[in-house]
Structures are given as C-alpha cells and as structure tokens.
Amino acid sequence: MAPTEDGRPVVRLRNIHKSFGANHVLKGIDLTVGQGQHVVIFGPSGSGKSTLLRTTNLLETPDSGSVWFDGKEYGPGIEGEDLPRGKARLLRQQIGMVFQQFNLFPHITALDNVALALRRVKKMNQADAELQAARYLARVGLLDKVAAYPAQLSGGQQQRVAIARSLVMEPKVMLFDEPTSALDPELVGEVLAVMRNLAESGMTMVVVTHEMGFAREAGDLNIFMDEGVVVETGGRELYDDAREPRTRAFFEAIL
C-alpha cells in the first residue's frame, strides 16, 4: 500500500502477526502510511482493527514483523535487516492515540488533564504547560471549559479534551480507535468536526471507525479488514466499486 503521492512514508508495518493465546488476531498485516495521509480502517467486530492500531504505537507488541517509524525499527523486525532501534516510550510521544473511552483523570480539570503530559514528559513548568494546554483546548472548541472537571462535561466534550491531550504533545501521527462509539448519537458530530479540521490541517491520521459517512469523506486510503487480514484497500471509489465479495457484503449490510 503506497502513501499519497506527495507524502513520504512515516509509518510502515510489515508482516505483522499478533496472537492472544490461541486466538490469531493479526495474520501478516502490511500497511504504509504517508505524511499527511488519512487512513480509514473498517470491518466487522473482532476483525483485528483495534489490535492493529495498538500495535502501531506498541501498546501491543507484535509477535513478529516490522513496526518502522521515521527511520527506526520498533517491532521484532524482519530477518536480515539491521535498522536503528527505537524505544517504545519515544514512539508513543510521536504517535498520539485517542481511545473509545476518554480516560480522563476525574479529579483534575480539563486544563490540567491536557497539561499533565507536558509537565511530566516534556518537563515544562506549570505556567508554560497551562498556556500550551489552553491553546489546544481552544483548537477543539473548549477554551471556555478549562476549569471544568470531566464529570461536568458531556461525553463529546470529554472526547474533545482527550483529543487535545494527545495533540498537545505535537505528535507526527494521530491514531483514533472508534472515538465516537461511546457517545450518544447527538454528540458524535462535534467530535467528527474536530477530526475533519485535523484532517484539513494536514495531520497524518489512522482512524478505526464505524462512521461510514466520515470514512467516505475523509479516507485517502480505505482498508477493509476481516478475520485478521486486509481483504481490500482503495480510495474513495472503494465504497461504490468494491471488488471483493466480502467487502461488498459488508457495505450492503451497513450502508
């Protein structure tokens, strides 16, 4: 799978395998993500989509295969290759991730939730960290909620705080794991709007989603997975002209 024409490869997964006990979840996955590209991954539950995302920033370590990011190898690697190795902690600083659940600290404000990583990881002083955090809360439309605690926010607002928390680290790639699945339907739009703005700004994104309208609109590279393998890939034409019977059957069931 090639990156966009104007985007150099940033992330490259090759022959990724991952099992949990006897359950072989990922079966030789290959994926290349180019700078500025928007990759959308979809498929039925249990197809390996979330595990693939978590493998990309080593929240799950693959059993075999290569996780290459920006010139360094982070996975087990490919036999015969000798690439510089990177540390998982540094990888996660450069590949941000937004989860289905918001995972905010309930006892601190939205501002502090966003500023915390700047203080702990980047060792910023409190004033600079709070100023940077406020900028990113403004970016997701929540500058008026800096003093609010998570319990005082709607689900959509909490997810936007979680997005700001990842963005404040200025990652090179953002991963989204079904970021709207825990939201009430009327709150989905505000989170998708933030993601659209990110896409328009040129952020490199890999999104697992069941929001097929957003997928059709945003996906430069669209990937249909089933039973741990990539069944079919394509541009926006995939939604109307899928070649594989399994892909067509999936679309017929959900569109």
Side-chain angles (χ1 to χ4, degrees):
M1 285 170 263
T4 51
E5 291 181 5
D6 59 345
R8 65 181 180 86
V10 177
V11 177
R12 183 183 293 121
L13 307 181
R14 286 183 292 160
N15 200 27
I16 294 293
H17 287 263
K18 179 65 179 179
S19 296
F20 297 99
N23 185 15
H24 195 178
V25 178
L26 299 178
K27 305 171 182 176
I29 298 292
D30 296 316
L31 172 64
T32 298
V33 181
Q35 179 69 43
Q37 192 170 34
H38 310 135
V39 179
V40 173
I41 303 172
F42 56 93
S45 297
S47 58
K49 307 182 299 296
S50 294
T51 301
L52 177 59
L53 271 199
R54 293 172 66 87
T55 299
T56 303
N57 69 350
L58 293 192
L59 289 177
E60 298 288 353
T61 303
D63 299 327
S64 62
S66 171
V67 180
W68 179 95
F69 173 78
D70 209 20
K72 293 183 179 180
E73 175 64 66
Y74 291 86
I78 301 294
E79 187 175 353
E81 291 186 351
D82 185 21
L83 297 174
R85 294 202 61 84
K87 296 182 178 180
R89 176 178 57 84
L90 298 177
L91 178 69
R92 294 186 197 114
Q93 290 180 28
Q94 299 179 86
I95 301 182
M97 187 161 181
V98 177
F99 301 88
Q100 297 178 32
Q101 302 297 329
F102 323 124
N103 299 322
L104 301 179
F105 291 108
H107 61 289
I108 59 177
T109 65
L111 184 70
D112 288 336
N113 265 283
V114 177
L116 186 62
L118 293 175
R119 295 168 57 191
R120 289 190 175 177
V121 178
K122 293 196 172 183
K123 307 302 181 184
M124 277 190 184
N125 64 53
Q126 183 170 341
D128 288 344
E130 289 181 353
L131 180 60
Q132 185 82 326
R135 290 193 183 110
Y136 278 89
L137 283 170
R139 186 172 178 181
V140 299
L142 290 175
L143 186 58
D144 61 334
K145 300 294 184 181
V146 292
Y149 289 85
Q152 299 171 313
L153 301 173
S154 70
Q157 290 169 336
Q158 291 185 61
Q159 189 62 292
R160 284 190 278 158
V161 172
I163 293 172
R165 179 181 56 188
S166 288
L167 289 175
V168 78
M169 297 298 289
E170 298 183 339
K172 294 181 179 179
V173 180
M174 283 287 289
L175 310 178
F176 293 87
D177 186 8
E178 300 204 22
T180 62
S181 65
L183 300 178
D184 291 333
E186 65 268 24
L187 301 178
V188 168
E190 65 190 68
V191 172
L192 293 182
V194 170
M195 293 172 64
R196 287 188 185 95
N197 288 338
L198 273 181
E200 290 168 1
S201 76
M203 172 63 73
T204 306
M205 299 166 59
V206 184
V207 183
V208 169
T209 186
H210 62 277
E211 298 289 342
M212 301 312 295
F214 174 81
R216 185 191 290 259
E217 173 187 341
D220 302 320
L221 174 63
N222 299 278
I223 299 173
F224 175 60
M225 287 185 64
D226 191 22
E227 297 185 350
V229 301
V230 172
V231 176
E232 188 167 0
T233 68
R236 291 174 177 83
E237 77 282 351
L238 179 66
Y239 298 95
D240 297 314
D241 193 26
R243 300 181 307 275
E244 297 294 329
R246 180 66 186 94
T247 313
R248 292 199 301 270
F250 180 80
F251 285 147
E252 288 170 2
I254 67 168
L255 294 182

